[in-house]
Amino acid sequence: MQDPAITPDLIASHGLKPDEYERILEIIGREPTFTELGIFSAMWNEHCSYKSSKKWLRGLPTKGPQVICGPGENAGVVDIGDGQAVIFKMESHNHPSYIEPYQGAATGVGGILRDVFTMGARPIAAMNSLSFGSPDHWKTRQLVHGVVEGVGGYGNAFGVPTVGGEVRFHPAYNGNCLVNAFAAGLADSDKIFYSAASGVGMPVVYLGAKTGRDGVGGATMASAEFDETIEEKRPTVQVGDPFTEKRLLEACLELMASGAVISIQDMGAAGLTCSAVEMGDKGGLGIKLNLDRVPQREAAMTAYEMMLSESQERMLMVLKPEKEAEAKAIFDKWDLDFAIVGETIPEDRFLILHGNVVKADLPLSKLSSSAPEYDRPWVLTPAAAAMAPVAEVDAIEGLKALIGSPNYAAKQWVYEQYDSMVMADTVRAPGLGAGIVRVHGSGKALAFSSDVTPRYVKANPVEGGKQAVAECFRNLIAVGAKPLATTDNLNFGNPEKPEIMGQFVGALKGIGEACLALDTPIVSGNVSLYNETDGKGILPTPTICAVGIIETLSRAILGPAQSGDVLLLLGETKGHLGQSALLAEHFGREDGDAPHVDLAAEAAHGAFIRDNHAAIRACTDLSDGGLALAAFEMAEAAGTGVTVSTTGTAALFGEDQARYLIAATQANAAKLEAAAKAAGLLLARVGAFGGTAVRLGASEAPLADLKALYRGAFAAALD
C-alpha cells in the first residue's frame, strides 16, 4: 500500500497546526513519511505531550519524605512503612467513553491497572469519577448504563475491588461525559520498576496481546473537540479483554521476580510509539524496532497502523539478554505473546523498519522531551457576582430535593454492579465515604477518596481547586486515616480559549496551595483538555484522588452511629449558600461565589479528629448539602432517626468548609468538648440520634419514607 501524500488537510487531520508542522520540517530537514507524521502527531498531541499544561504543572508540590517517586513515571509511589509502598494514579478515558461507552470505560480501567502493575505493584483497589449530562438528555441513559457496565465488566473480571468514587450529572456534560479511572497497588519499596531504558544493544521485547487496528489514532482523537463527525471516530476506541490482562499481570509480576527486567512500560496512549519513545528518552538512548516481528492479529497491517494502534493488554520491556529464555518461558506458560522486536542503540534515533524498508528515522529526544510547550494566553475568572437572596425553605422539603436528585441520591445502582469484596481485604465498601482496604498480612489499611465540586471551580477556580483537595483530605480524616498524597485528573475545555486556560491556571493554584498546606503532594496525574462539543465546554472538573494510611485498624472510625449518640459539629458555620447543592436542586440556580477554604482550619480540624479518634463512633465531613444532608446520611446508614436542633436554611444547608459531623456517646461527647476547648476549636452539640424520624429544626418526616426516596431516586431517573 502506497503512503498518502502529505497535504495540509492530512496534517490538520493529525491534529498538527501549520507552525508545528514547520517545526517538524526544521527538526528532520525534509518532509516526513506518513508513518513519521503519525508518530509526531501521537507524541505531540495534548494527551501525550501536555504541551498546554506543562508550564503550570511544574508549580505543583510533588515532593515529601513519604514520596518515593513523583510525576513522570507510569504512577506515583508513596512509602507506607515496613518496606512497602502504595503505587497509584488516575487517568481519563473521556472521549472514548462518549463514543463507545462500554469499551471506552472498560479500557480506561484496563489502562490504569497496567500503569500500576507495570511498576511492580499488585493492584488492590480501584475507583472512578463519572460525570454525565442531564438525566433527561437523550444520550445520558445510554452513557450511564454503558459506562457503569464497562467499569464493572472489566474490573470484576480482572479481580480488583472497586471501593469508591463519585457520579454527577449536569447539562454541561451533555456532549462530553467524563470517565476518570483510579487504581492503586502494593509493592515492596525496594522492588519498584521504572521505564527508563539502560544499556546499549539490549533487547526490546513486546509482551502480551497481539496488535490490531483498534484504537489507531486514539490519542490524537482524545486531544480534539467533538463535532458533527463524532460517530466517524468509533474505530479509534480500543477493545479490552480483562482475562488477558489478568494473565498479563501475573506474567509481568513473575517476570519481575525473575530479575529479567531492565525497564518496562505500558503500551497505553499512542501504543508502541509512546512506550518506545518514553523508554528511550528517559534512558538517553535510541530505539530500533523491526515491525515484522510484532505479533499481529490482523493481516497486512501497515507500519503506520502498528505504531499508532492502541490495542490493549500490551507491554514493552527492555530485557537482560541472558534471561531471554527464562522470560519467554514465563509468557509461554501464561499463553501470551513474547517477541523481541528491537534493541536499544546509542544514537538519538527512533528507527522503524518494516519489510526491510525504513519507515521512520527520527531524532528520538525531539519526540518526547522536546515536544512543543505553550504558554497559552489566559484571563482570570472574574469574581462571582453577589448571590441573590435565598428564601427560607421547609427543611424536610429542601432535604427531599437533594436526596430525590440523582446527584445526591444513594448510588447503590452503580456500585452494586462492581465487585467491591474480591481479594477479601475490603474493610469499607462503596457508599459510606472513603473506601478502605487492608494491607494484606499486616495490621494496616489504606483509605481512598475521590472528589471535586465543578460548580465551585467554575465560579472560583482557586477556591474550587482548594476545596477539591480539602474534601478528599476530610474524607480520609473522617475514617481515621492519615492523608499521604494525591493524584489528579484535570478535565477542562479548549485551552486555546483564554477563559478556559484561566480556569486551569486558577484551579492549579488552588490545588497546589492545598496540597502544600495539607502535606498531600501530587505524585501522579493526568490532564484531559478539549472536552468540548460544538464549541461548548464541560464544567472545569479537576478531579482529586487522595490516599491515606490507617496505621492500625483499631484507629479506624467506621461507625455506624447508634441510638442515643450525641451529634457534634466541628467547625464554624456561617451559612454559605453560594453555588450550593440546595441552590441547584431546590431553586434551580447556580449563582454566588464558591465557599472560602481556610487551609489552616482544615489542618487543625483534621489533626483534632485523628488525635481523638478513640472517642468518635462515626464521622463524616460536611460538603454538598451541608449539615442537613450529612445528618440524614449518617442516620440512614445507622438505621435510626436523628434530631437536629439547628434551624434556618443557611445553617442547615450552607456549605462552609473545614467542618465534620461526629457521633459519640454522651461520655465521649464530653471528652471531645473538653479537648476542643483546650485546642481552641469550635465544637457544638447540634442534636442526637434515636427514634424513627428525621427532625430538622421544626420540620420532620419518617426515616423510612426518606430512605425509600434516597434509595430509589437514582434508578428512577436512569432506568
Side-chain angles (χ1 to χ4, degrees), residues 133-147:
S134 175
D136 57 8
H137 185 263
W138 67 272
K139 195 172 175 70
T140 297
R141 185 178 180 277
Q142 174 212 358
L143 289 172
V144 173
H145 281 259
V147 165

Side-chain angles (χ1 to χ4, degrees), residues 150 234 269 275 311 335 360 363 397-398 434 450 468 574 598 600 617 620 641 647:
R234 194 172 300 275
S275 56
S311 294
D335 193 24
E397 291 307 308
S450 167
K574 294 181 178 178
D598 182 337
R617 193 191 317 267
T620 184
T647 60

Side-chain angles (χ1 to χ4, degrees), residues 500-542:
I500 300 296
M501 199 64 209
Q503 292 175 347
F504 184 86
V505 172
L508 256 68
K509 182 176 187 293
I511 289 168
E513 288 178 9
C515 287
L516 197 60
L518 301 176
D519 191 22
T520 55
I522 298 276
V523 297
S524 59
N526 173 245
V527 178
S528 176
L529 303 177
Y530 295 97
N531 288 290
E532 299 201 358
T533 299
D534 295 328
K536 186 172 182 180
I538 60 163
L539 290 178
T541 312

Side-chain angles (χ1 to χ4, degrees), residues 18-284:
D19 60 319
E20 291 175 334
Y21 183 69
E22 288 301 317
R23 185 168 175 174
I24 291 170
L25 296 181
E26 291 173 12
I27 288 171
I28 63 176
R30 56 176 171 79
E31 184 178 87
T33 66
F34 183 51
T35 300
E36 289 173 336
L37 182 71
I39 289 170
F40 270 108
S41 166
M43 292 305 303
W44 284 14
N45 68 56
E46 197 72 55
H47 192 75
C48 293
S49 72
Y50 292 0
K51 58 190 176 186
S52 296
S53 58
K54 277 190 288 194
K55 168 185 168 66
W56 302 102
L57 295 174
R58 292 191 188 102
L60 292 172
T62 59
K63 299 187 181 342
Q66 71 273 43
V67 178
I68 295 173
C69 176
E73 277 292 339
N74 288 288
V77 185
V78 175
D79 188 0
I80 61 169
D82 304 312
Q84 292 180 297
V86 59
I87 298 177
F88 61 93
K89 189 182 182 184
M90 192 174 218
E91 279 224 347
S92 60
H93 235 220
N94 303 335
H95 283 38
S97 298
Y98 188 82
I99 297 168
E100 181 56 63
Y102 184 95
Q103 290 297 348
T107 52
V109 173
I112 200 64
L113 290 168
R114 287 195 304 280
D115 279 339
V116 166
F117 72 74
T118 193
M119 298 195 71
R122 180 174 292 278
I124 62 162
M127 293 196 301
N128 51 82
S129 177
L130 311 176
S131 302
F132 298 105
S134 175
D136 57 8
H137 185 263
W138 67 272
K139 195 172 175 70
T140 297
R141 185 178 180 277
Q142 174 212 358
L143 289 172
V144 173
H145 281 259
V147 165
V148 171
E149 288 169 13
V151 169
Y154 203 102
N156 297 351
F158 178 85
V160 61
T162 299
V163 299
E166 53 184 345
V167 184
R168 70 178 54 84
F169 298 88
H170 192 282
Y173 305 104
N174 281 346
N176 198 129
C177 65
L178 301 182
V179 176
N180 294 175
F182 167 92
L186 282 175
D188 291 340
S189 51
D190 61 350
K191 295 176 183 173
I192 309 298
F193 289 83
Y194 298 100
S195 58
S198 64
V200 174
M202 298 294 110
V204 174
V205 186
Y206 175 113
L207 307 169
K210 288 179 167 56
T211 293
R213 291 187 172 93
D214 55 320
V216 173
T220 301
M221 176 270 292
S223 303
E225 296 180 32
F226 284 148
D227 55 26
E228 69 279 356
T229 66
I230 184 171
E231 289 302 319
E232 299 171 14
K233 298 179 171 68
R234 194 172 300 275
T236 63
V237 178
Q238 312 92 327
V239 178
D241 179 354
F243 299 104
T244 297
E245 178 126 329
K246 176 64 173 174
R247 287 184 286 123
L248 182 62
L249 162 71
E250 300 299 342
C252 283
L253 294 182
E254 188 174 340
L255 183 68
M256 290 163 174
S258 75
V261 178
I262 294 175
S263 64
I264 188 165
Q265 174 75 31
D266 161 43
M267 282 197 228
L272 190 54
T273 289
C274 194
S275 56
V277 168
E278 288 190 3
M279 290 175 78
D281 186 61
K282 288 175 183 174

Side-chain angles (χ1 to χ4, degrees), residues 352-383:
I352 310 299
L353 305 174
H354 187 217
N356 293 319
V357 176
V358 174
K359 292 292 185 177
D361 188 354
L362 300 169
L364 187 145
S365 64
K366 300 296 184 185
L367 294 167
S368 181
S369 55
S370 298
E373 179 176 334
Y374 297 123
D375 185 359
R376 301 277 192 201
W378 61 277
V379 294
L380 280 172
T381 300

Side-chain angles (χ1 to χ4, degrees), residues 628-648:
L629 185 56
F632 165 77
E633 288 177 340
M634 288 182 80
E636 196 272 342
T640 183
V642 64
T643 297
V644 177
S645 56
T646 303
T647 60

Side-chain angles (χ1 to χ4, degrees), residues 575-595:
H576 183 95
L577 286 172
Q579 299 297 334
S580 65
L582 182 76
L583 208 61
E585 302 295 347
H586 185 77
F587 293 98
R589 289 167 45 187
E590 292 180 14
D591 56 315
D593 199 359

